[in-house]
Amino acid sequence: MTANIPHPVVTRDRWIAERKTLLAQEKQLTQARDRLAEARRALPWVRLEQDYVFDTAHGPRRLSELFQGRRQLLVQHFMFGPGWEQGCKSCSFMADHLDGMAAHLAHRDIALLAVSRAPLAELLAFKARMGWRFDWASSNGNDFNRDFHVSFAPEDRKDGEVYYNFHMTPFPKDEAPGISIFYKDDAGDVFHTYSTFGRGVEVMMGTYNLVDLTPKGRDEAGLAYTMEWVRHHDRYEDAPAGAACCGGAKA
């Protein structure tokens, strides 16, 4: 059992008064988020000159063929490099939210796709272990990850920094997380409309929105984006027996 959290205790009237003050701040944030979403939709687009070919469970497919009959495609740049024993735990935390959202997003003309640089066989084995249903494609044979600055070759590093999140920055790994949005028009042309990286990927982490409502919150050190408490969902200490259906991966 966890220890109690020291905290002020007040009357109901005092609580209501302070809650109303916080409510005003929350409304300001909601309105600011609405304005930000409008500005995001107003961004200009970039036409893709290359129709990348991916390895998928249905054979080689071009990016333009992965929209599942829809105009919009949301891609999770999932950190999973060739030869890794398992996918990144934080990217897995993100991906845990996808299947529940898929039907709702489909009715907003949005298809979902995870993309990683690991070979397809490695992705599918991990997908089976985690029990996921969303589509996952391998970019192992193309430059998609490097072009969108979520995979880094040695020559991409300059003085220990790589181009990530739209600026040069230190990044310790060869793979990075992100989300990118694409649109396909009637002519079949594909446009890049938006990408977000770093803590911007929290938009996919609905669990955090609920955790942030609670007294303990994320229970992370300071303001750092540590996610130290997060595990693969079959690697928590109280995970049900047999949750790891494929085995072989280390925590």
Side-chain angles (χ1 to χ4, degrees), residues 8-77:
V9 177
V10 298
T11 65
R12 174 62 60 177
D13 288 345
R14 170 78 179 275
W15 185 89
I16 291 292
E18 298 204 15
R19 178 65 187 92
K20 286 183 176 179
T21 298
L22 180 61
L23 177 60
Q25 298 175 31
E26 291 174 335
K27 288 184 176 181
Q28 290 175 356
L29 178 60
T30 297
Q31 293 162 4
R33 186 183 295 115
D34 290 343
R35 292 192 297 269
L36 183 61
E38 185 176 355
R40 184 183 296 119
R41 291 190 296 271
L43 276 174
W45 299 353
V46 176
R47 187 193 310 271
L48 294 192
E49 300 299 327
Q50 181 177 351
D51 199 1
Y52 300 90
V53 178
F54 299 87
D55 289 331
T56 79
H58 307 289
R61 292 291 186 273
R62 297 185 179 278
L63 181 63
S64 60
E65 298 176 307
L66 296 173
F67 282 68
Q68 304 171 27
R70 298 178 177 89
R71 290 187 180 274
Q72 303 172 108
L73 175 66
L74 186 154
V75 170
Q76 179 188 356
H77 300 289

Side-chain angles (χ1 to χ4, degrees), residues 49-179:
E49 300 299 327
Q50 181 177 351
D51 199 1
Y52 300 90
V53 178
F54 299 87
D55 289 331
T56 79
H58 307 289
R61 292 291 186 273
R62 297 185 179 278
L63 181 63
S64 60
E65 298 176 307
L66 296 173
F67 282 68
Q68 304 171 27
R70 298 178 177 89
R71 290 187 180 274
Q72 303 172 108
L73 175 66
L74 186 154
V75 170
Q76 179 188 356
H77 300 289
F78 193 120
M79 294 171 63
F80 197 155
W84 288 21
E85 293 181 344
Q86 56 188 351
C88 161
K89 67 171 186 176
S90 299
C91 290
S92 297
F93 179 63
M94 291 171 62
D96 280 337
H97 297 80
L98 288 179
D99 285 337
M101 295 189 291
H104 304 287
L105 293 174
H107 283 274
R108 290 301 304 157
D109 203 20
I110 303 167
L112 291 174
L113 179 70
V115 173
S116 302
R117 204 165 55 87
L120 182 64
E122 297 176 13
L123 302 181
L124 295 182
F126 185 63
K127 177 181 175 180
R129 167 189 150 187
M130 302 301 283
W132 292 327
R133 301 188 304 275
F134 56 80
D135 289 339
W136 203 345
S138 171
S139 61
N140 190 255
N142 64 43
D143 294 325
F144 181 80
N145 277 44
R146 284 190 70 192
D147 288 350
F148 283 87
H149 306 289
V150 289
S151 291
F152 314 110
E155 58 268 29
D156 295 325
R157 295 192 179 274
K158 299 177 181 178
D159 299 324
E161 296 184 335
V162 296
Y163 186 79
Y164 178 63
N165 203 12
F166 308 107
H167 68 291
M168 296 299 295
T169 184
F171 199 89
K173 297 182 180 296
D174 294 332
E175 309 290 332
I179 300 170

